[in-house]
Amino acid sequence: MNKQAMNRFRRQALLAMAAAMVFAAPGAEAAPRAWMLPSDTMFSGGGDDWMTVDAAISTDLYFFDHPAQPWEPVAYAPDGTTFAVENRASGKLRSTFDVHMTKPGTYKIAVFTSQIMGSYLLGGERKMLPRGTTEATLATAVPQGATELWTAPNNLRLETFATAGQPTEGVFAPTGKGLEMVPVTHPNDLAVGEKATFQFLLDGKPAAGLPVVAIPGGIRYRAGLKEIDAVTDAQGKVTITWPEPGMYWVSVTSAPPRPPEGAGPPPAAGGPGGGEGPRAVTPPQRRDTYAMTLEVVG
């Protein structure tokens, strides 16, 4: 690959990396984050409860400042069955929809996307796969004559929860695909000063040693993230003590840690000066990210 082609590929790779960072890695203050925000999380359970949910990507949590996403939300009833959300609409900056809760118990609202990231070699140049490529569209995304195809899955899962009446556990059965949360502490029973424990699974197995971050909403109106950092233990569990009431964004990712600020890109093999050469082109790595919005009461 010549230098011009390498620089063009690097620009494409950086754009793809920016798209992949919609679920910000722990410690990334300025990166956009994907989230769903329920209007409430605890309802009477009288059989006619309504919850409105906003879904968006933003730099400041729960403040709309990025283009709306074509997400397909799924609502889970207390018995684990799915049902349709209502009044769904998307504007320039966010999507919104309603959930009608007619039965008592805990409901889960989820968004799951699974895309393929990667590149291929064509005519001596390495080209990125189009954004939004999936397993179903991969064959048509790679042109005839392409070689050295590199791919890796990029799985994103967003969730939030609400309870009508008494909390139940039926919506928490894992599917065994990607990163998932199984509560030890019920996510609709969180209070200031109390500990809450959650278990994270990757493809159905304990997700050990992954970084977890919890950030309260309202970043736009304060200095600092008030970020709580933790790491899952051997069973994939993490325990958080809530310092203040409000809505919290809790996220865990399997992505490798980002290089420290100022570290610069890794040089290609043989690059002069130990960092002055072009970024090494390597196959992509699988990325699984999970994020949920929880309400902590005072």
Side-chain angles (χ1 to χ4, degrees):
M1 186 182 299
N2 59 39
K3 184 176 180 180
Q4 186 178 23
M6 178 70 76
N7 289 336
R8 185 161 54 250
F9 175 74
R10 288 180 60 197
R11 287 196 294 271
Q12 293 174 324
L14 288 172
L15 289 173
M17 184 182 300
M21 286 303 296
V22 295
F23 285 77
E29 292 201 17
R33 300 171 178 84
W35 47 264
M36 286 194 292
L37 180 65
S39 56
D40 199 351
T41 62
M42 289 170 282
F43 297 83
S44 66
D48 189 28
D49 293 313
W50 287 89
M51 173 176 61
T52 294
V53 179
D54 289 327
I57 290 175
S58 64
T59 303
D60 294 331
L61 275 176
Y62 311 134
F63 180 85
F64 322 120
D65 59 8
H66 279 61
Q69 302 298 303
W71 291 331
E72 297 284 347
V74 177
Y76 292 84
D79 62 0
T81 60
T82 61
F83 64 101
V85 302
E86 299 185 38
N87 304 318
R88 184 180 171 197
S90 291
K92 289 291 186 182
L93 301 180
R94 65 168 173 169
S95 297
T96 185
F97 54 89
D98 295 328
V99 179
H100 192 192
M101 294 174 285
T102 60
K103 304 175 183 177
T106 297
Y107 290 70
K108 177 172 71 176
I109 314 303
V111 167
F112 180 73
T113 67
S114 182
Q115 300 183 1
I116 301 294
M117 55 185 177
S119 64
Y120 55 84
L121 203 61
L122 182 65
E125 294 185 14
R126 183 154 291 278
K127 299 177 180 295
M128 298 294 296
L129 287 173
R131 186 180 302 178
T133 298
T134 65
E135 289 186 4
T137 63
L138 178 61
T140 57
V142 181
Q144 190 173 7
T147 60
E148 295 188 26
L149 176 64
W150 290 344
T151 65
N154 183 16
N155 299 320
L156 309 175
R157 188 186 303 277
L158 281 175
E159 291 183 344
T160 192
F161 313 92
T163 293
Q166 295 298 315
T168 57
E169 306 287 341
V171 295
F172 300 117
T175 66
K177 183 176 182 180
L179 268 173
E180 298 178 276
M181 187 280 293
V182 177
V184 177
T185 304
H186 196 286
N188 293 138
D189 187 22
L190 308 177
V192 171
E194 296 183 359
K195 294 182 178 179
T197 300
F198 308 103
Q199 183 182 33
F200 293 97
L201 305 178
L202 181 58
D203 292 342
K205 299 178 181 178
L210 297 187
V212 180
V213 59
I215 303 174
I219 296 172
R220 183 177 177 84
Y221 306 105
R222 68 170 183 263
L225 289 179
K226 295 187 177 182
E227 178 177 324
I228 302 169
D229 294 308
V231 178
T232 57
D233 64 13
Q235 297 302 313
K237 295 180 180 179
V238 66
T239 297
I240 298 170
T241 301
W242 311 104
E244 58 185 68
M247 293 292 188
Y248 280 74
W249 183 82
V250 179
S251 181
V252 56
T253 179
S254 66
R258 302 169 68 188
E261 186 176 351
E276 297 300 324
R279 178 186 292 272
V281 179
T282 58
Q285 297 184 43
R286 173 178 173 173
R287 175 187 289 268
D288 291 88
T289 308
Y290 175 93
M292 60 181 172
T293 294
L294 305 173
E295 184 175 27
V296 176
V297 300

